Amino acid sequence: MSDLPFLTSRRRWLRQAAVLPALAAAAPLRALAQAPSSTAATLVLGDQAGGLRALFEASRALEDAPFGYRWANFQGAAPLFEAQRSAAVDTAVAGDLPVLAAAVGRTPLKIVATRVGQPDALGIVVQPESTLRRVADLRGRTVIVSSARGSISQYQLYGALEEAGVRRDEVTVKFVLPTDAAAAFASKQIEAWAVFDPYYAIALQQGGRILRDGRGINTALGFITASEPALADAAKRAAIVQFLDRLARAGEWALANPEAYARAYSQLTRLPIESARIITARTAVTARPVTEADIAALQAVADRSAQTGILPLRVDVRAVTDARLWSRAA
């Protein structure tokens, strides 16, 4: 896919999408960073497509935080975990399979909190005029997966293929980061695309058609991870607990004020209010301590991914989880 003429179509897509936070470095978000007091730690908070930051901006749950922070934004989980692997971010937010893929890649992390979204926040989308009507029609076709190997979109695609009785070697799979894939999809260079919100919602708003969404395939679980170097630092460890407390508070606000959250999200991300309502209604906003059920569900994904070759080896989920760090009542 490196030979796709992305540049012109990418500019066009950015105009259509009203500039996603993943690309809008100058977006008018209030809390770009907060300076710490002389004794407080400063956290680098890793984010994807501005979603977590928008939640905090809308709820104002980080105002007057007793720690310093700054945001580091990425268009997908793969580059985000590269940053966590190099200790460039202290925390990261991602779905189930990307966390496992990061663990396989020896990223020094621990899962410290769980978030629950909706399984229809991702799926396989096709062009409106496509002759593809069911997953079985993907035989002999090319499907673009965002953002990289080990993504929730890859798990979604492989689950849908298995469900439809299609062997993976009957489909050509290519991996493209979501902003580039979005530009190519908007200019009709991609017929079938496995992707997640907000890119998924935007593609549908622009006329894309759902071939199969994540219901019945994906767990809809997301996780907050903390880097092991940050957890080993007493001041940062305390700040991460305070951050998780405030994340839970932000999620509670969003659930209690869905329209206000959608409008704030729209304003902060510059997305149309119609797209913002869809995205915020199914995004993972609440945070809770990691439960035994969460560990078991993630272990099932890990085992299945190792058995099917999505991951090169099995991950012991309990070994990469710190369920004792944060004990806020679920």
Side-chain angles (χ1 to χ4, degrees):
M1 294 301 296
S2 59
D3 59 344
L4 287 174
F6 285 134
L7 187 57
T8 300
S9 57
R10 187 180 188 193
R11 292 194 185 107
R12 184 186 307 117
W13 184 82
L14 293 181
R15 290 195 297 270
Q16 293 171 341
V19 191
L20 278 172
L23 307 169
L29 301 180
R30 292 188 302 275
L32 176 63
Q34 175 168 307
S37 68
S38 59
T39 59
T42 295
L43 296 178
V44 182
L45 305 173
D47 197 8
Q48 290 193 54
L52 197 61
R53 181 175 168 185
L55 173 62
F56 274 112
E57 287 293 302
S59 64
R60 303 189 178 188
L62 274 180
E63 288 189 356
D64 302 318
F67 55 89
Y69 63 89
R70 62 180 183 272
W71 292 101
N73 194 37
F74 301 85
Q75 61 175 296
L80 171 55
F81 282 118
E82 282 294 330
Q84 192 163 55
R85 183 177 298 114
S86 62
V89 301
D90 296 308
T91 66
V93 55
D96 49 17
L97 190 57
V99 172
L100 296 171
V104 168
R106 299 179 182 270
T107 301
L109 60 78
K110 294 291 185 184
I111 298 166
V112 294
T114 301
R115 305 177 80 208
V116 182
Q118 298 294 326
D120 58 347
L122 77 162
I124 304 165
V125 60
V126 299
Q127 298 291 347
E129 68 279 5
S130 173
T131 59
L132 299 172
R133 297 294 170 183
R134 55 198 182 109
V135 174
D137 295 336
L138 290 173
R139 284 189 178 91
R141 304 295 186 98
T142 295
V143 181
I144 301 304
V145 170
S146 292
S147 58
R149 295 182 186 277
S151 72
I152 55 176
S153 300
Q154 183 184 15
Y155 191 82
Q156 160 70 19
L157 173 61
Y158 285 7
L161 293 176
E162 181 179 357
E163 177 185 74
V166 179
R167 298 193 318 272
R168 274 183 272 160
D169 61 5
E170 295 180 291
V171 177
T172 299
V173 178
K174 296 186 178 181
F175 298 87
V176 179
L177 287 172
T179 52
D180 286 339
F185 187 84
S187 59
K188 312 294 186 181
Q189 297 174 70
I190 290 175
E191 183 176 28
W193 182 25
V195 69
F196 47 86
D197 274 346
Y199 311 98
Y200 178 58
I202 293 171
L204 295 176
Q205 287 283 300
Q206 294 176 345
R209 177 165 48 81
I210 298 171
L211 195 65
R212 177 70 166 86
D213 68 20
R215 286 176 288 190
I217 296 175
N218 282 79
T219 66
L221 291 179
F223 299 93
I224 301 293
T225 67
S227 72
E228 290 183 345
L231 292 173
D233 180 305
K236 283 193 173 185
R237 186 178 178 90
I240 290 169
V241 172
Q242 294 164 337
F243 163 70
L244 294 175
D245 283 337
R246 288 169 181 265
L247 176 56
R249 189 186 312 168
E252 290 165 358
W253 176 89
L255 290 177
N257 301 276
E259 181 62 19
Y261 177 36
R263 291 192 174 278
Y265 184 91
S266 174
Q267 180 181 6
L268 294 167
T269 62
R270 303 177 185 174
L271 288 173
I273 184 61
E274 295 81 5
S275 297
R277 287 192 181 107
I278 293 169
I279 293 166
T280 56
R282 61 193 185 194
T283 193
V285 292
T286 57
R288 70 180 189 217
V290 182
T291 67
E292 286 296 315
D294 297 334
I295 293 173
L298 187 56
Q299 189 64 64
V301 173
D303 293 347
R304 181 174 180 79
S305 298
Q307 291 165 2
T308 58
I310 296 177
L311 296 177
L313 52 86
R314 179 182 182 274
V315 176
D316 181 351
V317 172
R318 195 175 299 278
V320 295
T321 301
D322 185 347
R324 296 177 299 175
L325 174 74
W326 187 46
S327 58
R328 188 180 196 269

